[in-house]
Amino acid sequence: TPYQATEPGPRHIRVFPTSTTFSVTTQILLDTTITFEPDKYYTIVHVGFARPSQTPADGFRVIEDAPASPGGNVALRSLNLGIGLGSVDLFLSDTSATAPLPTDPAFTNVAYGALTAYANTAPAAIAMKATATGTRTPILANTRAPFGLPADAGQNLTAVGGSTQAGSALLAIFTPRSVAGSSAPQGTAFQSPAVLFIVDKNPPRN
């Protein structure tokens, strides 16, 4: 979602399941308090298993977003939330599904729960591909980064962050497949791990 403003200090947050059935959507999955500092931006991720006796139990991962300006590059960082998939190497490659992996990963040995620092890359159409650490096959996930959009002064539109827009900052989250038998989508696209991209920073206004 886009950033939402809130008052600083401790904020009571609850998570409910999405459903059209009242008895389901009123169940509380997570009930906690998070303290926010003024003039800061945060990404909040709900991750883990909601079912009892499964580990890791669900909870919030709170990430402070304070990307430095990448100048003429695109800044990219990664977060491994691939439950049960261990550490991964993450490669930046051509968007073609058959493009070979680069010689070296952009991020190496990213453990579950680990958040990398930002790394700069030239603006381009790119895909992020994940493999188990130290291996090149099989490719666990292969997801194209959003391109973004350039500014359009005639339409009074500012630029939208993406891999082709200099000055952007992106967060790439490696995720597992949806939990079989859960209410999560079970279609083909959800039966394999994937990378989700979040725009941490749009290009600066000219």
Side-chain angles (χ1 to χ4, degrees):
T1 66
Y3 287 114
Q4 303 292 323
T6 188
E7 294 181 8
R11 310 299 295 168
H12 185 199
I13 299 178
R14 285 177 170 176
V15 177
F16 300 86
T18 299
S19 175
T20 57
T21 302
F22 181 77
S23 61
V24 174
T25 196
T26 53
Q27 297 175 23
I28 300 173
L29 296 178
L30 185 62
D31 188 331
T32 189
T33 298
I34 301 175
T35 299
F36 300 106
E37 297 182 33
D39 302 318
K40 290 188 176 182
Y41 291 81
Y42 298 90
T43 292
I44 304 173
V45 184
H46 180 215
V47 62
F49 294 110
R51 293 173 177 174
S53 76
Q54 289 189 302
T55 56
D58 66 327
F60 281 134
R61 177 66 188 273
V62 182
I63 304 165
E64 182 180 345
D65 299 334
S69 174
N73 293 309
V74 172
L76 184 69
R77 61 178 175 169
S78 295
L79 172 64
N80 180 1
L81 295 183
I83 294 175
L85 298 175
S87 299
V88 293
D89 291 341
L90 299 167
F91 297 82
L92 296 180
S93 75
D94 184 275
T95 57
S96 168
T98 59
L101 292 177
T103 302
D104 298 312
F107 302 102
T108 303
N109 195 23
V110 184
Y112 171 74
L115 175 68
T116 72
Y118 284 102
N120 288 344
T121 185
I126 57 173
M128 178 167 281
K129 300 178 180 180
T131 65
T133 294
T135 69
R136 298 179 68 85
T137 58
I139 294 176
L140 303 176
N142 179 8
T143 308
R144 190 185 73 179
F147 291 164
L149 293 169
D152 187 335
Q155 300 293 325
N156 196 31
L157 298 176
T158 57
V160 176
S163 68
T164 66
Q165 303 302 310
S168 300
L170 304 176
L171 169 63
I173 304 177
F174 175 64
T175 65
R177 61 149 294 162
S178 60
V179 177
S182 73
S183 60
Q186 300 294 327
T188 302
F190 298 91
Q191 293 181 12
S192 300
V195 177
L196 308 179
F197 288 91
I198 296 175
V199 178
D200 283 344
K201 183 183 182 68
N202 289 315
R205 294 176 181 267
N206 293 328

